[in-house]
Amino acid sequence: MSQKSEYVDETEIDASLDELPDGDTIDETVANLEANGFEVVVADSAEEALDTITSHIPADAAVMNGHSTTLEEIGFIEHLSEGDHEWESLPDEIYSIDDDAERQAARRESQTAEYFLGGINAIAQTGELVAADRSGSRIGAYPFAAGNVVIVSGVNKIVDDLDAALDRLESVAYPLENERAKDAYGVESAIAKQLIFRQELEAGRTTVVLVREQLGY
C-alpha cells in the first residue's frame, strides 16, 4: 500500500495544480460532469466515499480495480480483499495464479468486469477526465470494456480546463507515480497510454465519486 505522503515532500510537482477548490468550483465541476453523462456523488470524507462505493456495488458482483493510490487511501483495496462483502474479488483470484501467461490473460479478461474501480489523474472543471498509465491496465476498462465503472478522486484533482488537466498529468501525477513505481516495481513509470474521457454515452455506466479531501496523485 502506498501513500501520497511518502513521495510528495521529496518530489518536485506543480503544487498550484494540487489544491483544494472552493465550493462553487466543485459545484460547477459536478454540473459539467453530469452534463457530459457521468453520474456524480460528492463525499465529505474518505470514510463516506468508501460507504458510497460499498452501497453502490450489488452483492455477487464481480469486482476488479486498477491501481489507485486514492482507492488505497480510502480503504477500498483492503475492504475488497478482506472486508465483509459478497462480491467476487477478481484481484485476489488473479494474483493467486502461479503461471505468468495465465495470470496475464486473466488480467486482460478482468477489464470486462461487471464493476471496475479506479482513480483519475485530473478532472477539468469543464467536465472532462484525464488519466494515463504505463501498461494500460489501469485505464483500459474505462472507455468501453467494463460493465460499470466507478472512478474515485479527491477534489484536489479539479483544475480549470482540459489544458490544465493535461498539465496536471505531466507535472503532478507523473512525478509522484514515477517515484512510487521505482519503489514498487524497480522501474520508472511512463505516460505511455493516455485517456481523455470527454463523455459517457451509456446512462448510469460511469460514476465519479468526488471526495472533499486531498487524495491520490
Side-chain angles (χ1 to χ4, degrees):
M1 297 294 181
S2 61
Q3 298 291 323
K4 184 176 183 178
S5 59
E6 296 176 28
Y7 309 109
V8 70
D9 292 336
E10 300 177 359
T11 307
E12 186 176 346
I13 66 171
D14 184 346
S16 70
L17 297 174
D18 194 40
E19 298 177 341
L20 296 177
D22 60 28
D24 289 342
T25 298
I26 295 172
D27 291 344
E28 182 173 348
T29 303
V30 169
N32 288 330
L33 286 168
E34 290 177 339
N36 284 347
F38 301 102
E39 302 288 325
V40 184
V41 178
V42 179
D44 288 333
S45 66
E47 293 79 8
E48 185 179 328
L50 182 58
D51 288 343
T52 296
I53 294 168
T54 56
S55 64
H56 180 77
I57 302 173
D60 301 323
V63 179
M64 182 61 184
N65 66 273
H67 176 266
S68 166
T69 298
T70 302
L71 288 181
E72 292 178 354
E73 289 173 333
I74 69 170
F76 178 79
I77 302 301
E78 181 179 3
H79 181 76
L80 178 59
S81 182
E82 302 176 11
D84 183 13
H85 59 74
E86 299 178 13
W87 309 325
E88 179 184 1
S89 175
L90 295 180
D92 287 323
E93 294 179 7
I94 290 168
Y95 292 109
S96 68
I97 298 172
D98 291 331
D99 182 78
D100 289 345
E102 184 181 346
R103 185 170 60 252
Q104 182 72 343
R107 290 183 68 201
R108 291 186 186 280
E109 185 177 352
S110 73
Q111 298 290 301
T112 64
E114 186 179 356
Y115 279 83
F116 193 99
L117 289 90
I120 208 78
N121 296 129
I123 302 173
Q125 191 174 334
T126 46
E128 299 88 9
L129 307 173
V130 171
D133 196 7
R134 187 174 187 269
S135 68
S137 63
R138 190 173 74 94
I139 59 174
Y142 291 3
F144 179 77
N148 297 274
V149 176
V150 180
I151 294 171
V152 186
S153 174
V155 295
N156 54 299
K157 297 183 183 180
I158 296 174
V159 293
D160 289 343
D161 53 25
L162 183 55
D163 285 343
L166 293 169
D167 191 12
R168 188 186 192 281
L169 172 61
E170 297 272 359
S171 61
V172 178
Y174 170 72
L176 291 167
E177 172 59 17
N178 190 48
E179 292 304 312
R180 187 199 73 82
K182 288 188 291 186
D183 276 356
Y185 314 126
V187 297
E188 292 194 349
S189 187
I191 301 176
K193 300 177 183 181
Q194 182 172 306
L195 172 68
I196 299 176
F197 203 165
R198 296 176 184 269
Q199 289 183 296
E200 174 55 79
L201 303 180
E202 184 178 339
R205 175 180 176 268
T206 300
T207 299
V208 179
V209 179
L210 282 177
V211 190
R212 294 183 191 270
E213 292 188 8
Q214 194 165 48
L215 298 170
Y217 301 164

